[in-house]
Structure formats: structure tokens, C-alpha cells
Amino acid sequence: MSKVARKSKADKKPTDQLTEAEAHGELKRLAAEIAEHDRRYHQEDAPTVSDAEYDALVAKNAAIEARFPQLIRSDSPSRRVGAVPLAHFAKIAHAVPMLSLSNAFAEEDISDFIDRIRRFLGLDEDKAVELTSEPKIDGLSISLRYERGRLITAATRGDGSEGENVTPNVRTISEIPHELKAPDVPDVFEVRGEIYMRKDDFEALNERLAAEGGKVFANPRNGAAGSLRQKNPEITATRPLRFFAYAWGEVSALPATTQSGVVEAMNAWGFPTNPLMKICRTFDEVVASYRAVEVDRATLGYDIDGMVYKVNRLDWQERLGFVSRAPRWAIAHKFPAEKATTILRDIEIQVGRTGALTPVAKLEPVTVGGVVVSNATLHNADEIERKDVRIGDTVIVQRAGDVIPQVVSVVTERRPAKAKPYEFPTVCPVCGSHAVREINAKTGRVDAVRRCTGGLICPAQRVERLKHFVSRDAFDIDGLGDKQIAAFYEEDHITQPADIFTLEARDAANKEKLADKEGWGATSVRNLFAAVDARRTIGLDRFIYALGIRHVGETTARLLARTYGTFDTFREAMTTAAADHESDQYDELVNVDGIGQVVADAIVEFFAEAHNNAVLDDLLQYVTPESFVVEDTSGSPVAGKTVVFTGTLERMTRPEAKAQAERLGAKVAGSVSKRTDIVVAGPGAGSKLKKATELGVEVVSEDDWLALIG
Ligand code: IVH
């Protein structure tokens, strides 16, 4: 039997005789015990109880929850139903990254999107930008690689660069062909699209699972994900999975010159494509397509959470390229959030990585759009005051897509008589340091956010920094998530990044083995150590992002990696810049196009802090950041060159010129200095051209530039 939690007498009592306090204790014990059995079953393949015993625990948990719904825990097994089993799949690197989409909520965002495309491509007002419009399917994306018409591999999106190899599972999906017989299929073609489950199929599946005494899924999306990510493909084969093709990855040739043309071709090769896809020539047509689908949304038979618009011409898609992780040529237009009414039981203050105090509403659990919600963000003190949210209030909450649920408003008529306005704490609830509202350097106004001034003496900030360090876009260590970091921190096993990399050696020297600890086992420990080892060398951009420097997100981290190339160069420059704001190094940093004063100062401050340098020195004993490799610019004549554009460009717009130069490995700077290699000057060039001439920097015309880059 499990040793996870001590039992009390309540364990033996019939459910209908439990007091509330006993029920509370029992639910806690059951949650821990069931989680432990799940882990043994899914991760270790070594269950220690029979299915019947397991079912009895689940049934008991459900019975207690039915009697005391107010006690349902956020980690209750009844709410974890449908959790993705943690099977271990091999990784597959995507030859072409799997991107995400930027989101739009208002129609105005869509006209901005179209305007942005026009500006980027330098199109006239009256030139139509043809867009495809299609539903955004709520499933999981997949990349199917075909070589000479045969399905070779299938990979999930993963982090976008690397996904999981789920080929045997995908082969069981009847809507996905194993072989493409059409004569015009290119040698290599990666079909991308969404695996999903229809709502009726989902309900039938849940009925079947429940009848078999198994777990049910929370919604069709979880049903699709959980069914695909099965260790045993025979189980996947019994699940009603479906597929829509809507994009592609690496291809040796394209069957058409438009988005809609390629989708039609994929359909002709045997892939289901969405019948609601339309081509829109004007903003009004786009809006009409959105409204038409929104009306039919409930009767489509499958979940969608918005529409996706894509530039139809592929040559334009190519020119538009990407920003960060999303294409400039596509956007998701989300449907309005779903709402529900519930009671706000408490307000909890969470302390983030940068010390920001975020109020979180603890709610009476309520189902919003098919998902049970018990926490919602209240943003900050101003928001609480503006909405006058009080503990005990009846509130309206909403949730849209993957966004954190929010408290929208209060139903004041239902306010309890003694509810008092909420007083936002002025000290950090974790470390007791003062919490202050700083003057925002960007706006000059008092920040809406109150921040703990404890810095690294605040355990909450330290642990949040560690969570950031291992997060998906940073070190992304499999098996080391928020929960594990919190536990390791609590026990003093990991208090700074370097500790992650000495964990294995310390465990070997320790009498108390990690493998014997609750929640771990031999297999998961082995996997963890392997995952840690795999990160002893890491891309420079991920490394910089992982440091958690204020204002340095993924995009800025990549920009810094691209600009400085190696960590040593970066650090040396930042150390000099920190010591002397008049230095060339400081100038160069502020001059990087895309890095403003506020960001530059945050970076410099980070490197001026002795503690950060100590943490870095420790970490660098175990981890090697790789030099940043710019994507295949070996043949590029401008790779590594610093370029400044000035004056009017006539052949393309400034953003396009910049994006193109960066694609070819050049760095684009905003002003001319002696580090500038080339100035591209168009008509009307003024002071920058003058400075370039003074400094003897090479000046070329737009045509020369285009000839140079071929
Ligand atoms: S296009 C480069 N089209 O949405 C753009 N994505 O937020 C590739 N999705 O990961 C995506 N329906 O899982 C596209 N009709 C559709 C979609 C769709 C659902 C998902 C997809 C993607 C996510 C991006």
C-alpha cells in the first residue's frame, strides 16, 4: 500500500458520517494517494494496487466531493481526469519550426493586421490583400512527414523546435493516409494540421471509459491529446481521432502558389481539410466570415476557439516572414470569452520572479467553457479597487482559450452586508519586505504593480527565478517543472541554477536517495538526470533568456545572442557597459535596433550586481552556452555585418529591408558609429549619411545593397 499519507480513523468511517474537518483530511489524503498510484501506473508501469482497489479510492473521493463540494481541492483526482499520461516519447527535431499564431480579439486588431501587411509590403491602399479564413480547431497540432509519398514520421509540436515522435500512434488514425498515391506529390512533404475529437465521439468515449471504470476526459481537446499520447498505440487505435490539414513544414516542392491552392492539393492527396475555408478580398469579407462561423459554432460538431486568417499569396508569406515565434502573415481571431458566475472565497497574493505581487481570486469552483475554474487573476491593486472586488462577493469570471481566467465584474446586489473593501498588502506576504509601487521608467507614472523589495532574500522570488530558469523556452528540463523545483527548493536541494547540475553527484554521495523519495522512483530519477545532462550545453539565446533579466524576453534574448555571438563576448561587453555608461560597449547596446534605454539599463544593472555574477560563475562551471549560429547564412556576404538603413527606400519598406538583412545574418542598428559596416542610404538621407562619411563607413545605395545580397 502507499506510504504517501498517514491515515486517520476517518478512513474507515462511511462517507455520510464524516464531519467537514474529517472530509477535508480525507480528500487531502486521497488526492496524494491517487496521484501516487497514477504515477506508479503511468510513469513506472508498476502499479501497486489492483484496478478494483484503485477504483474504490476514486469512487470514495467522488462520494466525499459530492457531499462537500466546497472542499473540492485544486489538485483533486476528479479534476485531474484526462490528465495526459506521462509516457516518454523520443524527440524529433522539426526541420521547419512549428510556429504559433498571434491572437486578435477585436475587429480593429484585424484591420491593424491588414494595415501592417500593407505597410510591410509597401502596398497601396487599393491593392487587395487576399486572405484565407478558416476555423481555429481546438485540438493539438501535428507534423506528418511524407517521403516519396509514404508516411515516415509524425511529431507533436512540442516547444516548436522539437516535438515527440508519435508515429505508431498516428498510424492508427484512419483519416491520416499511410501512403499518398497521387502522381504530383513532391518527394518530401510535411503536412501539418490538427488532430481533434468530435464532441459526440468524445461523449461516447467518456461513457465507455466510465463504464469500464476508467478515467474520463475533461473536454474533447484533452481527450484528443490524452488518446494520442498513449504508450500503447493499440489504445490510441480505439479512440475516435480525426484530422484537418491546414499548413506544411519542410517540402521539396509546392503544388501551388497560394495558401488555398496548397490546401486544395493536400485535400486531393487524401487529407481532410476544413470545408469552411474561404478566400476573403476585403476586411468586410473577413468580418463576415468570422460572424458566419460564430453563429454556427455550437452546431459544428467539434470545438473551435476562433478563426485563422492567412495571406493567400505564398510569395508574400515568404517576404513577410516571422517575428519571434509567429508569422507576420497569419493571425488568430478569437471568439469572445465564455463567462460564469461564482463566489470569491478569498484573495491570495502571489509573488512573482521580479517581485510583482499579483492578487489571485480563490473561487468556488465553477465550469467555464467546459473547464473547471477555481483561480482567476485580479491583475493588481488598481484593478481590485476599480472593480471594488471584495471577499465574499459574487463575481463574473471569464476564460478565453489558454488565457488565465479573469474576474470581470462584481454582482453588487449579491454582496454580503459585512463585506469590506480589500486592503492590498504593503509588505511582501512571503518575506515581509516592503512592497512598493515604483515609478515606471517607460511611462514616468507610478506603476500599477506593487513589488516586493526583498530581491534575492525573498524565497518566493528565488523559487520563481528557478522555475523560469527551467521553463519551456529556457532550459526546458524534462521532469523538472514548477512542482519539482518548489519541492527541491523547500528541501534546500536546489537554491540556485548551478545546483540543478550537481544534483546527480550529490545524490550519489547521499545516503537518502532521491529514488526513494515520495513522488520519485528509479526510472523518473534516471530520466531526470539524463534530461539535466542533455542541457549541459545550450543555445546562447535560451541561456540568456533563462537568466531572467528584467525586460529580457525571448525576442530580446535572441537579439542579444545574435548581436554578441558568444556568452563571453556578451558578458565582457555588459561588464564594461555597467562600469561606464560612456563606454562604446554601452553605446553599442543601446544602439541595437529593438533594445531601448529601459531594457539596456536592466541588462547592465543585472551585470553590475555581484550576486548575479556569483550565480553565473557557479553555473558556468557546469553549463556551456553555445555560440549563436545564425541560420544558414554561410554564403551570405553580409553575415555578421552591422548595417544602418537611412533615407527613403524605394524597392521595399524599411521593416522588410530590416527583416531581410537579419535573415541573412546582418545586424541592423539604429544609428551610425565606428562599428557600423555598411550604411544603405536612400533619397533624403541626412545626419546619418553625414556621420558615415565622416567616419569613413561604406555607404551604398538601395540598388547596390540589393545587388550585394543577391
Ligand atoms: S496555422 C504558421 N491554422 O493554433 C501557422 N493553426 O496558435 C501555423 N490551429 O499550433 C498554424 N487551427 O495547433 C493554423 N486552421 C488553423 C488552425 C491552427 C488550429 C492551432 C495550431 C497552432 C495554434 C497556433
Side-chain angles (χ1 to χ4, degrees):
M1 221 27 230
S2 159
K3 54 181 180 208
V4 283
R6 218 177 305 123
K7 289 190 195 174
S8 67
K9 281 202 207 95
D11 173 47
K12 301 268 170 337
K13 255 192 183 178
T15 306
D16 56 5
Q17 286 172 26
L18 291 176
T19 64
E20 182 160 345
E22 285 169 338
H24 176 84
E26 274 295 279
L27 288 176
K28 179 168 176 190
R29 181 183 72 81
L30 285 164
E33 186 160 345
I34 293 171
E36 173 64 13
H37 291 313
D38 284 347
R39 195 188 58 74
R40 288 185 184 158
Y41 182 85
H42 288 301
Q43 291 186 26
E44 316 246 291
D45 257 348
T48 49
V49 288
S50 69
D51 286 359
E53 283 170 286
Y54 177 88
D55 292 347
L57 293 173
V58 173
K60 171 136 201 193
N61 187 72
I64 301 176
E65 288 184 345
R67 245 196 93 206
F68 298 98
Q70 72 279 19
L71 297 181
I72 299 180
R73 302 167 57 84
S74 59
D75 64 350
S76 164
S78 66
R79 304 203 17 214
R80 260 186 295 109
V81 287
V84 179
L86 286 170
H88 282 286
F89 294 99
K91 296 273 161 87
I92 291 191
H94 296 300
V96 173
M98 286 183 84
L99 302 163
S100 47
L101 294 167
S102 22
N103 287 327
F105 295 93
E107 286 174 6
E108 199 189 337
D109 301 334
I110 304 305
S111 51
D112 288 350
F113 167 67
I114 300 175
D115 287 348
R116 255 196 321 273
I117 293 170
R118 277 222 174 82
R119 267 202 310 279
F120 191 97
L121 297 175
L123 305 177
D124 288 339
E125 279 282 333
D126 50 359
K127 176 93 184 159
V129 177
E130 214 171 71
L131 298 175
T132 56
S133 159
E134 61 193 305
K136 185 166 190 295
I137 317 297
D138 206 2
L140 67 150
S141 49
I142 192 93
S143 186
L144 310 170
R145 186 177 176 92
Y146 289 82
E147 288 179 12
R148 272 176 238 103
R150 300 176 74 93
L151 176 62
I152 303 291
T153 50
T156 61
R157 178 171 184 277
D159 64 1
S161 322
E162 195 180 69
E164 287 178 329
N165 185 346
V166 288
T167 316
N169 307 50
V170 163
R171 285 191 200 280
T172 69
I173 301 175
S174 60
E175 288 195 337
I176 296 180
H178 292 194
E179 213 166 321
L180 311 179
K181 300 233 166 62
D184 61 335
V185 178
D187 266 359
V188 175
F189 203 96
E190 286 180 7
V191 173
R192 290 186 176 169
E194 203 85 353
I195 289 181
Y196 69 101
M197 207 179 267
R198 285 182 58 88
K199 289 193 245 186
D200 48 1
D201 286 340
F202 159 74
E203 269 150 32
L205 171 66
N206 264 359
E207 261 170 46
R208 194 182 94 208
L209 292 176
E212 289 165 0
K215 285 186 170 184
V216 296
F217 291 108
N219 53 45
R221 209 204 80 82
N222 285 354
S227 297
L228 182 70
R229 295 181 79 256
Q230 289 286 334
K231 264 189 188 170
N232 180 357
E234 283 171 25
I235 299 181
T236 307
T238 68
R239 302 293 170 82
L241 294 175
R242 287 167 187 272
F243 179 69
F244 277 129
Y246 53 64
W248 53 94
E250 192 183 13
V251 296
S252 55
L254 279 169
T257 57
T258 57
Q259 174 76 29
S260 54
V262 179
V263 171
E264 269 165 37
M266 292 195 292
N267 185 260
W269 298 339
F271 295 96
T273 55
N274 197 286
L276 298 171
M277 184 165 120
K278 283 208 156 51
I279 297 173
C280 303
R281 281 173 191 82
T282 64
F283 168 73
D284 290 344
E285 283 178 27
V286 173
V287 171
S289 77
Y290 174 91
R291 294 200 184 140
V293 176
E294 192 185 12
V295 173
D296 289 338
R297 184 178 177 193
T299 54
L300 282 181
Y302 49 88
D303 282 338
I304 62 174
D305 56 353
M307 298 294 281
V308 182
Y309 312 133
K310 301 171 187 166
V311 168
N312 201 20
R313 274 178 64 161
L314 298 184
D315 57 338
W316 284 0
Q317 285 192 4
E318 173 95 28
R319 280 173 62 191
L320 285 157
F322 309 92
V323 226
S324 239
R325 299 276 193 101
R328 279 196 195 83
W329 45 264
I331 198 163
H333 189 183
K334 294 298 195 76
F335 290 132
E338 305 204 43
K339 295 191 176 131
T341 304
T342 188
I343 292 169
L344 184 141
R345 292 278 175 226
D346 199 4
I347 295 178
E348 196 181 276
I349 303 290
Q350 286 180 354
V351 185
R353 171 165 67 87
T354 59
L357 306 193
T358 307
V360 176
K362 309 303 278 184
L363 306 168
E364 191 64 54
V366 62
T367 306
V368 194
V371 170
V372 181
V373 168
S374 50
N375 295 317
T377 179
L378 286 161
H379 301 288
N380 54 51
D382 285 353
E383 278 285 300
I384 299 184
E385 203 178 306
R386 196 171 60 74
K387 293 177 181 155
D388 189 16
V389 178
R390 306 183 185 190
I391 293 169
D393 270 343
T394 296
V395 292
I396 295 175
V397 288
Q398 73 173 25
R399 112 168 224 289
D402 319 328
V403 205
I404 305 168
Q406 300 174 315
V407 171
V408 193
S409 59
V410 173
V411 185
T412 32
E413 307 86 75
R414 300 238 201 115
R415 170 165 289 163
K418 37 183 209 307
K420 286 191 288 293
Y422 180 71
E423 272 183 48
F424 204 89
T426 52
V427 294
C428 171
V430 177
C431 73
S433 303
H434 284 293
V436 300
R437 294 175 67 163
E438 299 164 0
I439 306 288
N440 185 312
K442 277 183 188 160
T443 60
R445 281 204 295 270
V446 178
D447 230 336
V449 175
R450 200 172 268 278
R451 275 178 213 281
C452 160
T453 53
L456 287 169
I457 69 139
C458 178
Q461 290 191 45
R462 294 187 64 150
V463 83
E464 290 306 317
R465 283 197 195 192
L466 285 165
K467 288 180 188 170
H468 172 80
F469 185 85
V470 298
S471 65
R472 184 159 159 152
D473 297 324
F475 269 69
D476 189 22
I477 297 175
D478 265 352
L480 197 57
D482 287 4
K483 226 173 70 193
Q484 290 79 9
I485 285 287
F488 278 133
Y489 184 83
E490 187 92 339
E491 292 159 7
D492 258 0
H493 286 316
I494 298 180
T495 59
Q496 57 155 335
D499 296 343
I500 295 168
F501 297 92
T502 58
L503 202 57
E504 183 170 4
R506 285 183 289 134
D507 193 54
N510 227 337
K511 272 213 304 287
E512 257 176 61
K513 299 291 180 212
L514 183 53
D516 298 329
K517 267 171 60 86
E518 195 185 304
W520 291 92
T523 318
S524 36
V525 169
R526 214 177 320 116
N527 288 341
L528 172 68
F529 292 157
V532 168
D533 280 342
R535 289 303 193 190
R536 287 184 194 268
T537 51
I538 189 161
L540 181 57
D541 47 344
R542 278 183 182 263
F543 186 83
I544 295 177
Y545 174 72
L547 298 179
I549 305 171
R550 192 132 166 233
H551 304 303
V552 177
E554 254 189 293
T555 310
T556 308
R558 201 164 317 125
L559 200 56
L560 291 167
R562 173 196 292 274
T563 306
Y564 293 95
T566 69
F567 190 70
D568 287 345
T569 315
F570 174 53
R571 187 176 185 184
E572 216 179 285
M574 292 310 100
T575 310
T576 314
D580 178 8
H581 280 215
E582 310 276 290
S583 60
D584 287 352
Q585 284 79 355
Y586 185 86
D587 269 357
E588 191 190 6
L589 176 65
V590 183
N591 260 328
V592 176
D593 203 6
I595 293 188
Q597 191 75 44
V598 172
V599 182
D601 286 343
I603 300 169
V604 164
E605 264 167 41
F606 179 93
F607 285 94
E609 175 67 55
H611 178 89
N612 291 334
N613 282 301
V615 165
L616 260 176
D617 288 335
D618 283 345
L619 177 61
L620 289 167
Q621 287 184 41
Y622 308 104
V623 174
T624 313
E626 294 165 318
S627 322
F628 188 77
V629 213
V630 185
E631 312 86 46
D632 196 22
T633 54
S634 38
S636 162
V638 296
K641 299 262 163 84
T642 299
V643 183
V644 173
F645 292 99
T646 181
T648 316
L649 299 181
E650 289 167 324
R651 304 274 291 271
M652 54 184 145
T653 64
R654 186 75 69 88
E656 184 172 8
K658 178 175 174 229
Q660 188 186 42
E662 282 174 351
R663 257 203 310 273
L664 292 167
K667 302 168 208 165
V668 179
S671 61
V672 178
S673 73
K674 56 180 191 273
R675 285 162 197 274
T676 311
D677 295 300
I678 305 171
V679 170
V680 182
S687 61
K688 289 183 195 170
L689 175 58
K690 189 160 159 254
K691 180 132 187 229
T693 325
E694 278 164 21
L695 293 172
V697 174
E698 181 184 3
V699 178
V700 300
S701 69
E702 188 181 3
D703 284 344
D704 294 343
W705 166 254
L706 289 175
L708 174 66
I709 62 177

Short mmCIF file of all heavy atoms in Angstrom, two decimals, residues 65-86:
data_model
loop_
_atom_site.label_atom_id
_atom_site.label_comp_id
_atom_site.label_asym_id
_atom_site.label_seq_id
_atom_site.Cartn_x
_atom_site.Cartn_y
_atom_site.Cartn_z
N GLU A 65 -16.66 14.33 -2.31
CA GLU A 65 -16.80 15.62 -3.01
C GLU A 65 -18.27 15.95 -3.27
O GLU A 65 -18.67 17.11 -3.24
CB GLU A 65 -16.01 15.61 -4.32
CG GLU A 65 -14.51 15.66 -4.07
CD GLU A 65 -13.69 15.75 -5.35
OE1 GLU A 65 -14.24 15.48 -6.44
OE2 GLU A 65 -12.50 16.09 -5.25
N ALA A 66 -19.05 14.91 -3.54
CA ALA A 66 -20.48 15.15 -3.80
C ALA A 66 -21.15 15.69 -2.54
O ALA A 66 -22.04 16.54 -2.60
CB ALA A 66 -21.15 13.86 -4.25
N ARG A 67 -20.68 15.22 -1.36
CA ARG A 67 -21.29 15.70 -0.12
C ARG A 67 -20.74 17.06 0.30
O ARG A 67 -21.45 17.87 0.91
CB ARG A 67 -21.00 14.69 1.01
CG ARG A 67 -22.27 14.03 1.53
CD ARG A 67 -22.02 13.36 2.87
NE ARG A 67 -22.33 14.22 3.99
CZ ARG A 67 -21.77 14.09 5.20
NH1 ARG A 67 -20.87 13.17 5.41
NH2 ARG A 67 -22.12 14.91 6.17
N PHE A 68 -19.46 17.30 0.01
CA PHE A 68 -18.84 18.57 0.42
C PHE A 68 -18.22 19.27 -0.79
O PHE A 68 -16.99 19.37 -0.90
CB PHE A 68 -17.73 18.31 1.44
CG PHE A 68 -18.19 17.67 2.72
CD1 PHE A 68 -18.06 16.30 2.90
CD2 PHE A 68 -18.75 18.42 3.74
CE1 PHE A 68 -18.47 15.70 4.08
CE2 PHE A 68 -19.16 17.83 4.93
CZ PHE A 68 -19.03 16.46 5.10
N PRO A 69 -19.07 19.78 -1.71
CA PRO A 69 -18.48 20.38 -2.93
C PRO A 69 -17.57 21.56 -2.61
O PRO A 69 -16.66 21.86 -3.37
CB PRO A 69 -19.71 20.81 -3.74
CG PRO A 69 -20.88 20.70 -2.83
CD PRO A 69 -20.53 19.80 -1.70
N GLN A 70 -17.80 22.20 -1.47
CA GLN A 70 -16.96 23.36 -1.13
C GLN A 70 -15.53 22.95 -0.81
O GLN A 70 -14.64 23.77 -0.73
CB GLN A 70 -17.59 24.16 0.03
CG GLN A 70 -17.52 23.52 1.40
CD GLN A 70 -18.62 22.47 1.65
OE1 GLN A 70 -19.24 21.95 0.73
NE2 GLN A 70 -18.87 22.15 2.90
N LEU A 71 -15.34 21.65 -0.59
CA LEU A 71 -13.99 21.19 -0.20
C LEU A 71 -13.18 20.65 -1.37
O LEU A 71 -12.05 20.19 -1.19
CB LEU A 71 -14.11 20.08 0.86
CG LEU A 71 -14.76 20.47 2.19
CD1 LEU A 71 -14.77 19.28 3.14
CD2 LEU A 71 -14.00 21.63 2.84
N ILE A 72 -13.76 20.69 -2.58
CA ILE A 72 -13.03 20.12 -3.72
C ILE A 72 -11.69 20.81 -3.88
O ILE A 72 -11.60 22.03 -3.93
CB ILE A 72 -13.85 20.24 -5.03
CG1 ILE A 72 -15.16 19.48 -4.88
CG2 ILE A 72 -13.05 19.70 -6.22
CD1 ILE A 72 -16.07 19.53 -6.10
N ARG A 73 -10.63 20.03 -3.89
CA ARG A 73 -9.27 20.58 -3.93
C ARG A 73 -8.86 20.94 -5.36
O ARG A 73 -9.34 20.32 -6.31
CB ARG A 73 -8.27 19.55 -3.40
CG ARG A 73 -8.55 19.09 -1.99
CD ARG A 73 -7.71 17.86 -1.69
NE ARG A 73 -6.29 18.13 -1.88
CZ ARG A 73 -5.50 18.68 -0.96
NH1 ARG A 73 -6.01 19.02 0.20
NH2 ARG A 73 -4.23 18.88 -1.22
N SER A 74 -7.91 21.88 -5.46
CA SER A 74 -7.48 22.22 -6.81
C SER A 74 -6.72 21.04 -7.43
O SER A 74 -6.67 20.87 -8.63
CB SER A 74 -6.63 23.48 -6.80
OG SER A 74 -5.51 23.25 -5.98
N ASP A 75 -6.12 20.19 -6.56
CA ASP A 75 -5.39 19.04 -7.12
C ASP A 75 -6.21 17.76 -7.01
O ASP A 75 -5.67 16.66 -6.98
CB ASP A 75 -4.04 18.88 -6.42
CG ASP A 75 -4.20 18.55 -4.93
OD1 ASP A 75 -5.34 18.63 -4.41
OD2 ASP A 75 -3.19 18.20 -4.29
N SER A 76 -7.53 17.92 -6.89
CA SER A 76 -8.37 16.73 -6.75
C SER A 76 -8.24 15.79 -7.94
O SER A 76 -8.18 16.23 -9.08
CB SER A 76 -9.83 17.14 -6.61
OG SER A 76 -10.65 16.01 -6.85
N PRO A 77 -8.23 14.46 -7.68
CA PRO A 77 -8.16 13.49 -8.80
C PRO A 77 -9.35 13.65 -9.73
O PRO A 77 -9.24 13.40 -10.93
CB PRO A 77 -8.21 12.13 -8.11
CG PRO A 77 -8.00 12.37 -6.66
CD PRO A 77 -8.23 13.82 -6.36
N SER A 78 -10.49 14.12 -9.23
CA SER A 78 -11.65 14.25 -10.10
C SER A 78 -11.44 15.38 -11.10
O SER A 78 -12.08 15.46 -12.13
CB SER A 78 -12.91 14.51 -9.28
OG SER A 78 -12.80 15.78 -8.67
N ARG A 79 -10.53 16.31 -10.79
CA ARG A 79 -10.29 17.40 -11.71
C ARG A 79 -9.08 17.15 -12.58
O ARG A 79 -8.85 17.82 -13.56
CB ARG A 79 -10.09 18.70 -10.93
CG ARG A 79 -11.30 18.92 -10.06
CD ARG A 79 -11.52 20.31 -9.68
NE ARG A 79 -10.81 21.25 -10.47
CZ ARG A 79 -10.34 22.35 -9.95
NH1 ARG A 79 -10.47 22.59 -8.68
NH2 ARG A 79 -9.74 23.21 -10.72
N ARG A 80 -8.28 16.20 -12.17
CA ARG A 80 -7.13 15.88 -12.99
C ARG A 80 -7.52 14.89 -14.08
O ARG A 80 -6.72 14.52 -14.91
CB ARG A 80 -6.02 15.27 -12.14
CG ARG A 80 -4.94 16.28 -11.77
CD ARG A 80 -3.79 15.62 -11.08
NE ARG A 80 -4.17 15.06 -9.80
CZ ARG A 80 -4.26 13.77 -9.56
NH1 ARG A 80 -4.02 12.89 -10.50
NH2 ARG A 80 -4.61 13.36 -8.37
N VAL A 81 -8.79 14.46 -14.06
CA VAL A 81 -9.19 13.45 -15.03
C VAL A 81 -8.82 13.91 -16.42
O VAL A 81 -8.96 15.07 -16.77
CB VAL A 81 -10.71 13.16 -14.99
CG1 VAL A 81 -11.06 12.39 -13.75
CG2 VAL A 81 -11.49 14.43 -15.12
N GLY A 82 -8.36 12.98 -17.17
CA GLY A 82 -7.99 13.34 -18.53
C GLY A 82 -6.59 13.90 -18.60
O GLY A 82 -6.13 14.28 -19.65
N ALA A 83 -5.90 13.93 -17.45
CA ALA A 83 -4.52 14.43 -17.49
C ALA A 83 -3.75 13.57 -18.47
O ALA A 83 -3.99 12.38 -18.60
CB ALA A 83 -3.90 14.32 -16.11
N VAL A 84 -2.84 14.21 -19.17
CA VAL A 84 -2.08 13.49 -20.18
C VAL A 84 -1.15 12.50 -19.50
O VAL A 84 -0.38 12.88 -18.64
CB VAL A 84 -1.26 14.49 -21.01
CG1 VAL A 84 -0.44 13.76 -22.05
CG2 VAL A 84 -2.17 15.50 -21.64
N PRO A 85 -1.21 11.24 -19.88
CA PRO A 85 -0.29 10.30 -19.26
C PRO A 85 1.15 10.65 -19.65
O PRO A 85 1.40 11.07 -20.77
CB PRO A 85 -0.69 8.94 -19.86
CG PRO A 85 -1.71 9.21 -20.89
CD PRO A 85 -2.07 10.64 -20.88
N LEU A 86 2.04 10.51 -18.69
CA LEU A 86 3.39 10.96 -18.95
C LEU A 86 4.24 9.90 -19.64
O LEU A 86 5.26 9.48 -19.12
CB LEU A 86 4.06 11.39 -17.65
CG LEU A 86 3.55 12.72 -17.13
CD1 LEU A 86 4.05 12.97 -15.72
CD2 LEU A 86 3.98 13.83 -18.05
#
